[in-house]
Amino acid sequence: MKVISRSKLRESWKRKGCQDAEQPLLAWFWEVEQAEWKTPADVKKLYRSADFVAGGRIVFNIGGNKYRLVTWVTYSIKLVLIEWVGTHVEYDNIDVVKVGLPGPLRKKRWRNR
């Protein structure tokens, strides 16, 4: 898999109080770069605690569940886009479906017709 935006990982572990996230995030990065995910079942084989949410997003528990990593995965082109990284406490305050989207898309409300 190709992981996009390693810089988001780096930024997260450089934050004050989050330095202990570096090794778990790097381990996740290297494991995913070596993976050949074709379906969500392949993700579950490697990460049993991964949570699948709307829109192709997957939430990973990192560092003994101290941190959360939100990604967007496209299996057909073997792409994993890092949308958000933060502490478990910060995760409780975000909308996992909208985090990482540009402002206009994040605010847009969809109506069922």
Side-chain angles (χ1 to χ4, degrees), residues 24-43:
L25 286 169
L26 284 174
W28 175 89
F29 177 84
W30 295 118
E31 287 174 344
V32 174
E33 281 269 308
Q34 301 303 311
E36 294 272 339
W37 296 339
K38 292 178 175 58
T39 67
D42 295 331
V43 177

Side-chain angles (χ1 to χ4, degrees), residues 33-66:
E33 281 269 308
Q34 301 303 311
E36 294 272 339
W37 296 339
K38 292 178 175 58
T39 67
D42 295 331
V43 177
K44 276 292 195 181
K45 286 178 190 173
L46 189 56
Y47 295 100
R48 291 173 153 253
S49 64
D51 291 323
F52 296 84
V53 293
R57 290 183 176 220
I58 305 173
V59 180
F60 295 93
N61 297 326
I62 304 291
N65 205 21
K66 184 175 179 182

Side-chain angles (χ1 to χ4, degrees), residues 49-102:
S49 64
D51 291 323
F52 296 84
V53 293
R57 290 183 176 220
I58 305 173
V59 180
F60 295 93
N61 297 326
I62 304 291
N65 205 21
K66 184 175 179 182
Y67 300 97
R68 293 285 178 97
L69 171 63
V70 178
T71 64
W72 177 75
V73 177
T74 302
Y75 301 100
S76 62
I77 58 173
K78 300 180 181 181
L79 180 69
V80 178
L81 177 64
I82 297 170
E83 295 284 3
W84 183 88
V85 186
T87 67
H88 192 132
V89 172
E90 292 168 332
Y91 174 81
D92 290 339
N93 294 313
I94 66 167
D95 182 340
V96 71
V97 176
K98 295 181 182 175
V99 71
L101 292 173

